[in-house]
Amino acid sequence: MTLGTQGPFARKKIGEILVSLGAMAPAEVDLVLARMPQTGKRFGLTAIDERVINEDILAQALAEQFRLPFIRLDEFVPVTDLTADISSALLLKYRVLPLRKEEAGLAIAVADPTDVAALDELELQLETPLLVHVAPAGKIQKILERGDLGSKQVLREVSEDFKLQLVKETDKGEEILSIEKLTADTSPIIRLIDSTLYDALNKRASDIHIETSADGVVVKYRVDGVLFRAMDTLDERFQGPIISRIKIMSELDISERRIPQDGRFKVRLGSKSIDFRVSIMPSIFGEDAVIRILDKESIANDLKGLTLEALGFPDRELIRLRRMVREPYGMILVTGPTGSGKTTTLYAALSEINTEDEKVITIEDPVEYQVKGVVQIPVNEKKGLTFARGLRSVLRHDPDKIMVGEIRDPETAQIAIQSALTGHLVFTTVHANNVFDVLGRFLHMGIDAYNFVSCLNCVAAQRLVRKICTHCKRPVQYDRQTLEAAGLGAPAYQDVTFYEGAGCDECHGTGYHGRGAIMELLDMTDQLRELIVSKAPITQLKQAARAAGTVFLREAAVEKVVQGLTTIPEINRVTFIEQV
């Protein structure tokens, strides 16, 4: 193991090195030395705790002290062939990052070169000399916990073990998830499920799908609204134990396999708790499971900065939408398919107008966002608390603004409309494809057209489009046929530079990272109200809407492409070309 050329007595003290680097003043060295007995930590870690230096500076100083190379790791890309030969358990145990294979041995990055005993032990286990480099601890940890070096490799190793060994699982209790636990010796089924949950969280997944087919069990993640496989197909005989383990965690009946079951469980990851909602559904090959991830603490952090700007709406829509949500009464209606961000948009609107001098009450199924200062009521249909019944009770609580999670039936629609007509500002959602389908949906429920359009301030239809990953964004040339098929063959688009994501570790090879909203906003003018009540044809309604400033979904999506934020295949996935 190579740890520098000088003996221990020739080394400078770390404090002297930091002073010579200009990172600390002599007085700060004395301050850290005085604090060390209280913290019980070494000089460098105590200096970081006191915020005198950061991890990068400490790593540089340690590298100089031991005469070792320093590496920043900013542009580091793991070598798959190298990491595949080393157990993730060893990498995580010793906090070591393999860099490259050299003639003299294996080059590695560590944060603490003073732990000679651990490095000697690792050298014996790997049976190769180690060439030590020093890197910041936080960057090593980040790389270890992502991509092939972290949860993905753990998941691969676990799934391989799982194919070889099957253990009956009857464990029940609180689930505590950590990457150390995933590498511990335990039941392969527990390791498989825990590793899948951990990996899904690292990849920003919103759902985990466990599907059974004739070929075996397939595990998929939904990231940014799109499914992709998490691992190779598992043998079909392991489907039963996997579903049983999920049922046990969710406190469901493991003996019942013929009817759907819904449950939930909570996992503690580090210092935060994460809720998982489980749906079990029988299929022709057995039972399938979908696990919805509800990271409420992350959502709460997101909500602190949740504004309409943060959702990515253009200025013209922001001005119109803000004017609508600041009206004293009426109905704000957001429509779109499941997972299109309707509730998020409503919360962004609510957060902008939520003040202490007004009572805001929501009724939702379930309450996924927790907002300070807002009374939130979860629907519980098993106990008889439906949207309609809950909304009646809400009106007796003297609210100023009401949010109804979803209008599903005529009774709820009728109460919501009456609330909007009698001085309340009502925010709600409904499932429909565009702003004009909403009108037909309510009229089909038997709602009086005049009352409906009288209370309606605006209808917003929205979709979420994936954004190109900024780390691997590159220009792309589309052929003429592709552009014409997407409705972009006009001369106005000839000089536009189109982009795509090449795929990298940050976006897990997808080329996309995160999503932004596109909106079709229908401002209910007097002319539109008259046309709707007189049952005018859709073409006439669209002409009037366009004249009033409505930009349709496809046009909003094309704008995102022209701005270089998303791709043509992505907007084709979520919008119809005919809407131009």
Side-chain angles (χ1 to χ4, degrees):
M1 177 178 56
T2 303
L3 269 183
T5 57
Q6 290 188 321
F9 298 106
R11 294 193 189 109
K12 284 185 180 180
K13 291 183 178 179
I14 192 73
E16 294 176 14
I17 295 171
L18 288 165
V19 171
S20 68
L21 289 173
M24 292 180 68
E28 291 174 320
V29 173
D30 295 337
L31 171 67
V32 173
L33 288 171
R35 287 285 296 159
M36 283 173 62
Q38 300 171 28
T39 63
K41 297 179 181 179
R42 286 178 295 178
F43 184 92
L45 295 177
T46 303
I48 289 174
D49 288 347
E50 294 296 314
R51 299 187 177 182
V52 177
I53 61 172
N54 57 35
E55 288 183 338
D56 285 51
I57 296 295
L58 176 60
Q60 291 178 48
L62 285 170
E64 183 172 328
Q65 185 182 33
F66 286 87
R67 306 198 93 184
L68 295 170
F70 169 73
I71 182 169
R72 293 187 182 278
L73 298 177
D74 291 334
E75 304 295 331
F76 178 74
V77 177
V79 182
T80 306
D81 294 340
L82 182 62
T83 57
D85 297 332
I86 304 174
S87 166
S88 59
L90 285 178
L91 300 179
L92 295 164
K93 178 181 178 182
Y94 294 102
R95 294 288 188 268
V96 169
L97 193 62
L99 301 174
R100 60 188 174 275
K101 195 75 175 174
E102 298 182 4
E103 288 185 12
L106 177 66
I108 62 168
V110 299
D112 183 10
T114 65
D115 195 353
V116 179
L119 292 170
D120 285 339
E121 188 178 326
L122 178 62
E123 194 171 59
L124 286 171
Q125 293 197 49
L126 294 177
E127 298 179 346
T128 185
L130 297 179
L131 310 175
V132 178
H133 296 59
V134 184
K139 291 180 180 176
I140 292 176
Q141 181 72 12
K142 183 179 178 182
I143 294 171
L144 284 174
E145 291 191 353
R146 77 177 189 201
D148 287 334
L149 289 177
S151 54
K152 186 176 179 181
Q153 184 169 341
V154 172
L155 187 60
R156 183 172 61 246
E157 292 170 2
V158 167
S159 59
E160 288 169 359
D161 292 343
F162 187 68
K163 293 174 185 177
L164 299 174
Q165 184 183 14
L166 184 65
V167 177
K168 187 177 180 182
E169 177 50 49
T170 57
D171 177 67
K172 190 174 180 180
E174 186 183 22
E175 300 299 316
I176 300 177
L177 206 56
S178 68
I179 203 154
E180 287 80 10
K181 179 176 183 289
L182 304 184
T183 59
D185 292 328
T186 184
S187 160
I189 298 175
I190 298 176
R191 292 185 67 203
L192 177 71
I193 300 301
D194 288 358
S195 301
T196 301
L197 298 177
Y198 191 92
D199 190 47
L201 289 167
N202 276 345
K203 287 182 169 57
R204 304 178 297 107
S206 60
D207 302 85
I208 303 169
H209 290 240
I210 299 172
E211 303 172 354
T212 310
S213 65
D215 299 324
V217 182
V218 178
V219 180
K220 298 178 181 177
Y221 300 149
R222 187 179 293 280
V223 179
D224 293 333
V226 178
L227 286 172
F228 68 90
R229 287 198 178 204
M231 66 180 83
D232 294 335
T233 304
L234 299 173
D235 194 283
E236 62 181 348
R237 69 178 183 275
F238 301 131
Q239 178 266 345
I242 292 173
I243 298 297
S244 294
R245 168 64 181 163
I246 294 171
K247 285 182 177 179
I248 288 167
M249 294 170 71
S250 311
E251 298 185 351
L252 299 176
D253 184 356
I254 62 172
S255 64
E256 180 55 73
R257 299 175 182 172
R258 297 163 296 177
I259 60 172
Q261 295 189 67
D262 295 318
R264 61 179 62 223
F265 63 90
K266 184 177 290 188
V267 162
R268 183 165 295 281
L269 176 59
S271 61
K272 67 178 181 179
S273 292
I274 299 166
D275 290 326
F276 294 84
R277 208 167 67 211
V278 177
S279 176
I280 308 289
M281 181 75 71
S283 68
I284 58 173
F285 295 107
E287 288 180 294
D288 289 5
V290 175
I291 304 172
R292 167 66 59 88
I293 301 172
L294 300 174
D295 189 351
K296 291 186 177 180
E297 291 188 26
S298 292
I299 290 170
N301 291 332
D302 292 342
L303 280 175
K304 290 176 184 175
L306 181 59
T307 61
L308 292 171
E309 282 103 340
L311 299 179
F313 295 129
D315 290 341
R316 66 165 185 275
E317 308 298 7
L318 286 175
I319 294 168
R320 298 171 68 214
L321 187 58
R322 280 205 170 103
R323 177 166 54 83
M324 296 301 159
V325 301
R326 287 186 167 88
E327 295 287 346
Y329 55 85
M331 180 181 285
I332 310 295
L333 196 54
V334 181
T335 182
T338 302
S340 60
K342 300 186 297 294
T343 306
T344 306
T345 297
L346 289 185
Y347 267 109
L350 273 179
S351 66
E352 293 204 358
I353 60 173
N354 181 22
T355 57
E356 289 189 0
D357 57 356
E358 290 186 313
K359 179 94 166 184
V360 181
I361 305 180
T362 74
I363 179 162
E364 305 166 67
D365 182 22
V367 176
E368 294 187 10
Y369 297 171
Q370 295 176 354
V371 183
K372 187 176 180 180
V374 176
V375 179
Q376 297 175 275
I377 303 166
V379 165
N380 189 339
E381 293 190 358
K382 291 181 181 178
K383 300 292 185 182
L385 179 54
T386 60
F387 274 113
R389 187 172 179 181
L391 188 52
R392 284 199 191 91
S393 298
V394 164
L395 292 172
R396 290 195 288 271
H397 269 253
D398 189 29
D400 295 290
K401 296 176 174 64
I402 304 166
M403 188 181 106
V404 183
E406 183 184 345
I407 290 182
R408 299 175 180 170
D409 55 75
E411 188 180 7
T412 308
Q414 191 66 55
I415 301 169
I417 289 168
Q418 288 299 324
S419 304
L421 288 170
T422 53
H424 300 92
L425 185 61
V426 179
F427 296 80
T428 189
T429 73
V430 68
H431 283 126
N433 287 325
N434 55 54
V435 292
F436 300 107
D437 286 350
V438 172
L439 307 175
R441 184 82 186 272
F442 273 84
L443 298 178
H444 182 70
M445 289 182 187
I447 303 300
D448 179 69
Y450 181 80
N451 284 341
F452 177 52
V453 297
S454 296
C455 76
L456 199 56
N457 293 353
C458 68
V459 184
Q462 78 173 56
R463 301 287 187 277
L464 294 177
V465 293
R466 291 181 293 170
K467 295 188 289 187
I468 299 171
C469 175
T470 55
H471 295 86
C472 59
K473 184 176 179 180
R474 65 182 183 188
V476 61
Q477 292 285 339
Y478 291 111
D479 57 53
R480 185 176 183 82
Q481 186 177 358
T482 302
L483 291 172
E484 289 179 350
L488 295 170
Y493 301 108
Q494 284 182 357
D495 297 328
V496 173
T497 302
F498 299 100
Y499 294 91
E500 68 175 4
C504 63
D505 282 344
E506 292 292 334
C507 61
H508 308 293
T510 63
Y512 298 95
H513 193 285
R515 289 185 290 179
I518 56 173
M519 176 177 282
E520 177 179 290
L521 184 61
L522 182 67
D523 185 349
M524 292 303 295
T525 63
D526 290 339
Q527 182 190 4
L528 276 168
R529 289 189 174 97
E530 290 171 4
L531 289 172
I532 293 167
V533 172
S534 63
K535 297 182 180 179
I538 292 293
T539 52
Q540 195 173 346
L541 290 176
K542 284 188 175 182
Q543 289 172 2
R546 189 184 293 277
T550 297
V551 174
F552 297 113
L553 279 173
R554 181 67 182 188
E555 295 168 332
V558 167
E559 282 184 0
K560 296 279 187 184
V561 174
V562 172
Q563 292 166 6
L565 299 176
T566 190
T567 65
I568 290 178
E570 178 64 9
I571 66 166
N572 288 343
R573 184 180 68 87
V574 297
T575 61
F576 285 113
I577 297 171
E578 291 78 15
Q579 290 179 339
V580 175

